[in-house]
Structure formats: structure tokens, C-alpha cells
Amino acid sequence: MTVAALEIAVTSPAGAIVARDGGADRVELCVGLELGGLTPSQALVEMTHETGIPAHALVRCRPGGFVHDRDEVELMEREVRTVLRSGAAGVVVGALRPDHTLDEDVLRRFVDAARSVSAVAEVTLHRAIDHAADPVAAAASLAALGFTRVLTSGGAPTAVAGADTIARMAAAAGPVQVMAGAGVTPADVRTLIATGATAVHLSAKRPAADSAHAGVPMGGSDDGSAHFVTDAEVVAAARRALDD
């Protein structure tokens, strides 16, 4: 029996090393995790690639919803090519139409951009699918669009809450890997694998011990609180839960 894959969301090469050493199979690389994740820089992708663990770069040009205008789509197409040329093993993308169906035209452009750089680049649909009107139908359409996997909470605030829908998505997705994520802890892993998902996704994060700047806001959403780092104990516990 194939052991399910473990993916850890990280924001730094240091986080990738913690994930690698804790037994993760790959990382999702982004910045702005507190905003739901945004596209990492070229240098960040390069340095993470040097750690040796496969890194799948999130390509999301801004926080907020998943309906994108022409300029945003063009920007993300370019970012797809840039992160893959910088060493990413895959990309994580998504787009919706205003009616909450998958924007298949945009998604094909992203897949084509990825495969123009590498024929074996893996392409994951991110949690835009959890905002789709019918996540199960959306999952069923992904193989024809060229996707490798989908990250989902089953349309719920957490993956455990959406477990029933994740099971239906796994049954509908065909060759596309269904990866359960959102609020996942090591204690949730067995429940999620029982849905038929063949991968789990965790941020495995904790506040950095020394990152607060005395509570002085730096503008926008920065309230002076700590940034997050990858917790080695959480990664190791998730790996054990998958292997048991």
C-alpha cells in the first residue's frame, strides 16, 4: 500500500529544511502565509530549491478572491514560468469565474505556461476550489485541464469539517491526487486519509520566539506580532501519523 504524501507550507529555506528533515515529501512555498499565501520571489525559490526537497511554488498575485482580471492573469502566467525556471518542481494556481465555477480558460493558460517550461512540472489547483459552487464537479474536471492534484478542505473552514465532501471529491477526481488541507493537525491525519485523500497539507507553524518588534505596527496588517516559523515537532508528528 502506498503511504500518503506529506506536504508542508513554508515561507523560507529554513522552513524547507525543517520540513525535509522531519520527513515531508514536498513543500508548498509562498510568502504572506497570514494572507493565505502569495507568490514567492525568484531568490526565495532558488534558495529553497537548494535545500533538496521538492518545492511547489504558490502563484497568487494578491490576497482576496480568485476572480482575476487580464493583467493579473498575465502576471501570474509570467510568475509560473519564472518560479519553474528558478527551480520549483511545480506550481500551485487557481482562478474562478464570477459565478463561482472554475475559470477553465485561465487555468489552461496556467497549465500551458507550466508545461512550456517543463513537461513534467506538477500543477496543483489551490483552495479556490473550496469557493466553487460545486467542488465535487470541479474536482472531476481537473484531469482534462492537465492538473496533477488539488488542495482542498472540502469547501469547509477546516479539512476535518469538510471530510465528507473530500471523500466525494476523491471519488470523482480520477488520476488527480486529492490533498486535504486547512487547519490540519497531526491528530487529524488518519481521519483525512480515510476519506480517500492521498496527501495531507499542513502549515505546521508556530510563532517565532524573537520576531515581535515591541508591538509597534509597521503599517497595514502588521500589528507588531510575531511571524511564524515551521515547527519540527509538528512535522515529525504528522509523518508518524501517516506512517503508522
Side-chain angles (χ1 to χ4, degrees), residues 32 60 112 117 132 153 173 184 190 194 204 215 217 231 233-234:
R60 183 176 177 229
D112 288 347
V117 177
S153 66
V184 176
R190 288 188 179 182
D231 190 318
E233 293 183 3
V234 176

Side-chain angles (χ1 to χ4, degrees), residues 1-95:
M1 184 175 69
T2 302
V3 176
L6 175 63
E7 179 177 283
I8 303 295
V10 304
T11 59
S12 68
I17 290 170
V18 171
R20 180 198 68 194
D21 293 349
D25 296 285
R26 59 178 176 262
V27 297
E28 180 191 61
L29 181 65
C30 67
V31 296
L33 197 57
E34 69 281 1
L35 300 174
L38 300 171
T39 309
S41 70
Q42 178 179 341
L44 178 52
V45 176
E46 290 171 348
M47 288 188 66
T48 302
H49 172 65
E50 290 168 7
T51 69
I53 188 169
H56 295 241
L58 177 64
V59 174
R60 183 176 177 229
C61 65
R62 57 159 174 78
F66 303 107
V67 179
H68 294 287
D69 64 26
R70 182 179 60 187
D71 288 344
E72 290 173 339
V73 171
E74 182 178 348
L75 172 60
M76 288 188 287
E77 273 189 292
R78 295 188 185 196
E79 288 178 328
V80 164
R81 292 189 288 267
T82 296
V83 297
L84 288 169
R85 288 168 180 158
S86 300
V91 291
V92 184
V93 297

Side-chain angles (χ1 to χ4, degrees), residues 157-227:
T158 68
V160 168
D164 289 346
T165 300
I166 292 172
R168 293 167 57 213
M169 294 171 73
V176 174
Q177 182 183 64
V178 173
M179 178 166 58
V184 176
T185 69
D188 301 325
V189 166
R190 288 188 179 182
T191 297
L192 296 173
I193 295 304
T195 66
T198 54
V200 293
H201 170 102
L202 295 80
S203 59
K205 63 182 185 292
R206 61 172 174 79
D210 60 351
S211 63
H213 34 260
V216 178
M218 300 297 289
S221 62
D222 187 338
D223 62 0
S225 61
H227 72 273

